[in-house]
């Protein structure tokens, strides 16, 4: 999962779903009365078909060896997944791409030079309690897409290395040019730490995990607890292009170099890759730096958990050397996609996915999700073999090279762009989807009802509650987040407009370290191995509910409900720097029409389904129109910070890399404290909402 440890949960603006409205918001639910009775039997069958013990066996097999994208070990994982899915009766296809990337960190070192010489540790300790920690194929900590270089200089501490942190250093008169910056993980995507460091003239960057963020300040450290010990290192990609996927083929799939179709590739010098050397270290190594710094004391909020007063500079006498020689070249990766072909609507797709490449063993991230999808493949396969095939096609996809920058899924989306626009009903993402016992989800508006309704049908294994009741806890209703960045839903949702969700169960993680292994999982994450089957049931129910409905059961009323709240929030943010701002007049009018038209469609669909007289041709037409609804927010001009991000509704935050930007056109202006383009955005958002409202009314009027 391509995200920072302190941001392991998806950022979200809390949206609640009232249980009482689950049915009221959509009385028709996509089924006729008779077909829904059959569907309930299918869903009961799925719950019974899920083999809970198989999850453990799949996870153990997937995590036998470290398997970084582009390595032979990762190819073996791909072979295993294909074998399991073929055994379940799925048609399995490989989608190969040649990516410009590294498969290891090359050679690197980090040393104190003056006043003493001291090489710093770059790899986790071998622990007798954890047999996986002695695997000979484990490597040093490294950051993909680091620049290469050998620099020796004095040190500047930049807190989390955010845009605001570098601005603060400049305000305080701290010279960054030519220095080696040290910044702690958290606050933003690690690639932006490198980007900002380079922009401000730094010669190199060291990124470390502070014990205040994940270490002894939080609780017991591994192997006695779940927090980073003094040797644990967070690896991760630094890729920060203004598009997702292979850095040399924006907007186009990086098809094999030896294939029939030739793709034009940029020269690497054109791809805005980092040029300064960057290395991640553990806090046990970082303390050797902080112990020797003697500059000004840091401002409030910058002090971490090491037993020293943190300083902004190391001083002229204290120098550090950072050396990286990281080779990049074209590397073959493979997405593995299995399909249960739909019996009635094979060209309408429900896609479930998780990446399978990892920084080391990847037990929680990502392969807990991979193992769950393999168990689900087997459960669905049992049903298919017994004559209970889905009406729509169910695709289960395992993406490669996500850890290098959400690459495999983005390339597939670019390759399949037209087909996805016409055929994709939904994309369900389960990156690290069974990494604990705490359930949660983030979703586009039209899937929020489905998320909660299916959670009510699954038993939570460690209490006498349903998954839904365990999720909501003491609240009347649970909170569903909005999708941000950092994983494989990005291309589907933000580039081509496929309704998407990301969810599962989460908990303790030794994120991107060599210790994220099967021993850690069975000791601390889920020793009873019951959550894999539980999340598999939830995911399978959602897939089957969408696959078998006569009419795709989108929660269409959520569009107007959520848009109202999002625009109200945006207006409040704008008024903080422009007190005279009155709002978005055109948008308000468009939302009012949208609200009215969705009510008309709701009634028309309820009537049409209750009559049980819709022909297959009519149903096909209805569903094609429903699939087109989300595309109303796809704007070919895209965002000003990157035209690859085409959704007006949601985007990755281009400054942190993780946060969910809802109404990203406005959020960008807010981040710049600018009102210059607000009139333009009023027009562009109103046009998108009007398009959505018109599509809804046309569909309503076409119903018998």
């Amino acid at each position: 999962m391509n995200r920072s440890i302190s941001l392991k949960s998806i950022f979200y603006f809390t949206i609640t779903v009232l249980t009482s409205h689950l049915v009221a918001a959509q009385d028709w639910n996509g089924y006729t009365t008779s077909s829904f009775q059959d569907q309930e039997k299918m869903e009961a069958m799925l719950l019974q078909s899920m083999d809970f013990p198989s999850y453990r066996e799949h996870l153990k097999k997937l995590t036998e060896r470290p398997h970084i994208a582009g390595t032979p070990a990762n190819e073996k994982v791909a072979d295993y997944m294909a074998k399991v899915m073929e055994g379940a009766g799925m048609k399995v296809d490989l989608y190969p791409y040649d990516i410009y990337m590294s498969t290891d960190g090359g050679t690197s070192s980090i040393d104190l030079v003056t006043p003493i010489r001291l090489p710093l540790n770059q790899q986790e300790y071998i622990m007798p309690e954890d047999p996986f920690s002695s695997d000979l194929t484990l490597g040093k900590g490294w950051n993909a897409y680091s620049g290469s270089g050998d620099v020796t200089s004095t040190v500047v501490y930049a807190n989390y290395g955010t845009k605001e942190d570098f601005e603060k250093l400049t305000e305080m008169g701290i010279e960054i040019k030519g220095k080696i910056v040290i910044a702690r993980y958290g606050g933003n995507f690690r690639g932006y730490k490198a980007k900002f460091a380079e922009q401000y003239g730094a010669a190199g960057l060291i990124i470390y995990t502070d014990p205040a963020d994940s270490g002894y300040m939080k609780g017991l450290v591994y192997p006695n607890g779940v927090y980073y010990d003094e040797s644990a290192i967070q690896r991760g990609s630094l890729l920060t292009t203004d598009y997702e996927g292979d850095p040399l083929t924006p907007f186009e799939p990086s098809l094999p170099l030896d294939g029939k179709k030739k793709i034009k590739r940029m020269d690497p010098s054109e791809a805005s890759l980092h040029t300064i050397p960057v290395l991640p270290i553990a806090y046990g190594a970082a303390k050797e730096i902080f112990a020797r710094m003697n500059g000004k004391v840091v401002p409030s909020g910058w002090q971490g958990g090491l037993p020293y007063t943190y300083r902004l500079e190391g001083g002229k006498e204290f120098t550090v050397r950072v050396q990286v020689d990281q080779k990049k070249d074209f590397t073959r990766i493979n997405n593995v996609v299995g399909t249960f072909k739909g019996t009635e609507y094979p060209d309408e797709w429900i896609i479930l996915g998780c990446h399978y490449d990892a920084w080391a063993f990847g037990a929680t991230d990502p392969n807990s999700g991979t193992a769950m999808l393999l168990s689900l493949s087997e459960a669905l396969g049992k049903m298919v073999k017994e004559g209970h095939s889905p009406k729509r096609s169910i695709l289960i996809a395992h993406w490669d090279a996500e850890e290098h920058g959400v690459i495999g899924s983005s390339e597939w989306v670019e390759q399949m762009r037209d087909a996805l626009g016409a055929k994709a009903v939904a994309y369900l993402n389960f990156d690290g989807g069974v990494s604990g016992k705490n359930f949660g989800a983030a979703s586009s508006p039209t899937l929020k009802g489905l998320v909660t309704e299916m959670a009510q049908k699954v038993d939570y294994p460690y209490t006498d509650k349903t998954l839904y009741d365990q999720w909501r806890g003491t609240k009347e209703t649970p909170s569903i987040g909005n999708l941000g960045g950092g994983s494989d839903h990005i291309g589907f949702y933000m580039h081509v407009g496929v309704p998407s969700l990301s969810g599962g169960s989460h908990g303790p993680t030794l994120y991107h370290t060599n210790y994220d292994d099967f021993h850690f999982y069975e000791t601390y994450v889920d020793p009873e191995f019951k959550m894999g089957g539980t999340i598999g049931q939830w995911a399978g129910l959602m897939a089957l509910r969408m696959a078998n409905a006569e009419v795709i059961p989108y929660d269409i009323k959520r569009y107007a409900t959520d848009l109202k709240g999002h625009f109200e929030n945006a207006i409040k943010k704008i008024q903080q720097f422009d007190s005279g701002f009155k709002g978005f007049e055109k948008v308000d009018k468009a939302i009012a029409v949208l609200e009215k038209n969705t009510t008309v469609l709701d009634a028309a669909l309820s009537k049409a389904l209750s009559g049980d007289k819709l022909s297959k041709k009519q149903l096909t037409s209805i569903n094609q129109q429903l699939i087109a609804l989300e595309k109303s927010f796809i704007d070919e001009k895209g965002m000003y910070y990157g035209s690859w991000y085409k959704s007006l509704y949601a985007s990755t935050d281009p400054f942190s890399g993780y946060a969910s930007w809802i109404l990203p056109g406005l959020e960008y202006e807010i981040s710049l404290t600018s009102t210059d383009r607000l009139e333009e955005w009023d027009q562009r958002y109103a046009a998108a909402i009007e398009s959505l409202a018109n599509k809804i009314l046309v569909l309503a009027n076409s119903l018998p």
Side-chain angles (χ1 to χ4, degrees):
M1 195 173 298
N2 195 13
R3 58 190 182 183
S4 182
I5 184 68
S6 65
L7 297 165
K8 61 180 184 263
S9 299
I10 299 170
F11 279 77
Y12 58 85
F13 170 77
T14 299
I15 298 293
T16 58
V17 181
L18 295 176
T19 309
S20 60
H21 289 311
L22 286 175
V23 176
Q26 196 170 336
D27 295 328
W28 45 276
N29 88 5
Y31 288 81
T32 62
T33 302
S34 59
S35 67
F36 191 64
Q37 291 175 351
D38 293 337
Q39 176 64 14
E40 287 186 314
K41 293 176 184 176
M42 287 273 283
E43 292 175 6
M45 203 177 302
L46 184 279
L47 294 174
Q48 292 297 318
S49 297
M50 185 61 61
D51 181 359
F52 277 57
S54 75
Y55 170 81
R56 183 183 188 278
E57 297 310 310
H58 289 315
L59 184 63
K60 188 174 183 179
K61 185 68 177 178
L62 292 164
T63 59
E64 284 180 343
R65 293 285 181 269
H67 50 283
I68 295 168
T71 63
N74 207 43
E75 291 177 11
K76 289 182 180 180
V77 171
D79 291 342
Y80 175 74
M81 297 184 307
K83 182 179 178 181
V84 171
M85 290 196 291
E86 287 171 349
M90 302 188 86
K91 180 182 181 296
V92 177
D93 295 296
L94 293 183
Y95 291 85
Y97 305 98
D98 285 338
I99 308 299
Y100 187 71
M101 57 179 275
S102 303
T103 59
D104 60 52
T107 61
S108 66
S109 62
I110 181 166
D111 306 86
L112 308 188
V113 178
T114 59
I116 67 167
R117 290 192 175 277
L118 180 67
L120 299 185
N121 180 43
Q122 292 180 262
Q123 187 167 342
E124 288 82 350
Y125 302 152
I126 294 174
M127 295 182 174
E129 301 91 339
D130 183 349
F132 293 90
S133 65
S134 61
D135 189 297
L136 295 177
T137 62
L138 288 168
K140 293 179 179 181
W142 62 290
N143 291 122
Y145 293 106
S146 166
S148 291
D150 188 342
V151 297
T152 300
S153 187
T154 55
V155 179
V156 172
Y157 171 57
N159 195 25
Y160 289 109
T162 65
K163 177 173 174 282
E164 294 76 15
D165 290 336
F166 278 99
E167 290 170 349
K168 183 73 172 177
L169 285 171
T170 302
E171 288 174 16
M172 292 185 291
I174 302 300
E175 179 63 50
I176 299 170
K177 187 174 182 180
K179 306 290 182 64
I180 292 172
V181 169
I182 183 168
R184 52 177 164 162
Y185 273 114
N188 62 356
F189 169 55
R190 67 188 77 79
Y192 287 104
K193 302 176 196 296
K195 181 177 181 179
F196 298 141
E198 192 162 351
Q199 283 178 355
Y200 280 82
L205 172 67
I206 301 165
I207 315 176
Y208 79 103
T209 298
D210 196 282
D213 300 311
S214 182
Y216 53 76
M217 295 281 289
K218 292 288 189 179
L220 292 173
V221 302
Y222 193 66
N224 299 311
V226 300
Y227 296 102
Y228 279 39
D229 82 316
E230 68 171 11
S231 74
I233 300 171
Q234 182 193 138
R235 293 144 181 81
S237 177
L238 302 173
L239 194 61
T240 52
T241 53
D242 58 2
Y243 46 89
E244 301 291 338
D246 172 52
L248 303 189
T249 59
F251 297 92
E252 294 293 332
S254 51
L255 298 178
L257 291 164
D258 58 359
K260 292 182 180 179
K261 185 176 181 180
K262 302 301 179 184
I263 300 296
K264 185 179 180 181
R265 285 169 161 84
M266 297 164 56
D267 186 271
S269 63
E270 303 175 84
S272 302
L273 299 177
H274 303 292
T275 62
I276 63 172
V278 183
L279 282 176
I281 59 174
Y283 59 79
K287 72 180 181 182
E288 301 294 346
I289 297 174
F290 282 93
R292 293 170 173 83
M293 295 179 73
N294 62 8
K296 295 178 183 177
V297 175
V298 297
S300 175
W302 286 39
Q303 175 70 37
L306 291 170
Y308 309 102
T309 298
Y310 282 33
R311 311 280 184 153
L312 292 174
E313 296 178 282
K316 294 181 179 179
E317 304 303 319
F318 178 45
T319 59
V320 174
R321 178 191 180 197
V322 175
Q323 179 271 324
V324 177
D325 185 10
Q326 186 183 120
K327 304 298 183 186
K328 304 173 187 68
D329 204 345
F330 294 107
T331 302
R332 178 63 53 89
I333 68 167
N334 290 284
N335 294 332
V336 185
V337 181
T339 303
F340 289 115
K341 189 174 182 179
T343 56
E344 295 187 24
Y345 309 103
D347 289 332
E348 293 175 10
W349 302 345
I350 291 89
I351 307 165
L352 299 85
C354 175
H355 73 97
Y356 66 97
D357 65 297
W359 282 108
F361 295 100
T364 61
D365 177 16
N367 295 132
S368 63
T370 313
M372 180 276 290
L373 289 176
L374 291 179
S375 293
L376 177 57
S377 299
E378 293 172 326
L380 291 170
K382 289 178 190 175
M383 296 175 62
V384 170
K385 288 170 184 176
E386 292 171 3
H388 304 288
S389 295
K391 294 179 181 178
R392 291 183 179 84
S393 294
I394 295 177
L395 282 64
I396 294 181
H398 301 280
W399 312 116
D400 204 352
E402 188 272 354
E403 294 294 8
H404 277 67
V406 196
I407 291 178
S409 60
S410 298
E411 299 309 308
W412 196 77
V413 166
E414 290 174 345
Q415 181 180 0
M416 309 292 286
R417 185 183 293 115
D418 293 342
L420 289 169
K423 300 177 180 181
V425 173
Y427 174 66
L428 317 182
N429 194 50
F430 300 98
D431 185 356
V434 196
S435 54
K437 297 181 179 179
N438 303 312
F439 180 76
S443 170
S444 55
T446 52
L447 301 182
K448 288 181 177 179
L450 183 75
V451 167
T452 52
E453 188 175 356
M454 296 302 99
Q456 294 180 70
K457 296 172 72 73
V458 177
D459 291 331
Y460 183 77
Y462 297 114
T463 66
D464 58 357
K465 299 177 180 179
T466 64
L467 189 61
Y468 175 86
D469 288 330
Q470 182 69 24
W471 176 20
R472 69 187 179 93
T474 58
K475 299 178 182 178
E476 184 179 355
T477 57
S479 298
I480 305 180
N482 293 306
L483 290 169
S487 195
D488 294 298
H489 57 268
I490 295 175
F492 291 92
Y493 191 34
M494 301 171 186
H495 187 61
V496 296
V498 176
S500 301
L501 68 84
S502 184
S505 56
H506 303 281
T509 176
L510 294 175
Y511 175 75
H512 286 192
T513 74
N514 283 349
Y515 297 137
D516 184 12
D517 55 35
F518 191 79
H519 174 78
F520 172 72
Y521 194 97
E522 68 176 350
T523 304
Y524 293 112
V525 177
D526 184 20
E528 303 86 355
F529 287 92
K530 292 183 178 179
M531 291 306 299
T534 300
I535 300 304
Q537 289 176 327
W538 175 65
L541 289 177
M542 289 190 292
L544 284 178
R545 180 62 65 93
M546 286 187 286
N548 293 328
E550 279 95 342
V551 175
I552 299 167
Y554 291 144
D555 188 355
I556 296 169
K557 280 193 173 180
R558 286 306 294 250
Y559 277 127
T561 302
D562 287 9
L563 282 167
K564 277 185 177 179
H566 296 320
F567 274 100
E568 287 171 3
N569 282 329
I571 290 167
K572 290 176 183 177
K573 291 178 183 179
I574 294 167
Q575 289 174 339
Q576 289 177 5
F577 60 86
D578 182 4
S579 58
F581 183 69
K582 300 301 182 183
F584 298 97
E585 183 179 352
K586 293 182 176 66
V587 164
D588 288 343
K589 291 178 180 178
I591 291 177
V593 174
L594 173 64
E595 200 167 23
K596 179 181 176 181
N597 290 0
T598 51
T599 302
V600 173
L601 177 59
D602 229 29
L605 281 171
S606 295
K607 180 182 176 183
L609 284 166
S610 64
D612 202 8
K613 294 180 180 178
L614 292 171
S615 67
K616 186 173 181 179
K617 183 178 179 181
Q618 287 173 314
L619 289 171
T620 298
S621 174
I622 291 168
N623 289 317
Q624 286 303 304
Q625 291 178 73
L626 288 170
I627 288 172
L629 294 182
E630 188 76 27
K631 314 307 180 289
S632 302
F633 295 104
I634 296 300
D635 184 321
E636 283 307 309
K637 185 177 180 179
M639 295 297 111
Y640 281 104
Y641 52 82
S643 60
W644 192 91
Y645 301 96
K646 296 191 176 299
S647 173
L648 298 179
Y649 196 97
S651 171
T652 297
D653 171 358
F655 298 118
S656 80
Y658 295 112
S660 173
W661 266 17
I662 301 299
L663 309 182
L666 299 183
E667 285 292 343
Y668 187 59
E669 303 305 317
I670 291 166
S671 71
L672 302 176
T673 61
S674 169
T675 59
D676 294 346
R677 291 192 285 248
L678 294 184
E679 185 175 343
E680 174 193 335
W681 285 114
D682 191 15
Q683 294 173 347
R684 288 175 71 179
Y685 274 106
I689 297 167
E690 287 167 3
S691 172
L692 176 62
N694 288 338
K695 289 176 184 175
I696 286 171
L697 186 60
V698 168
L699 174 53
N701 289 336
S702 72
L703 295 172

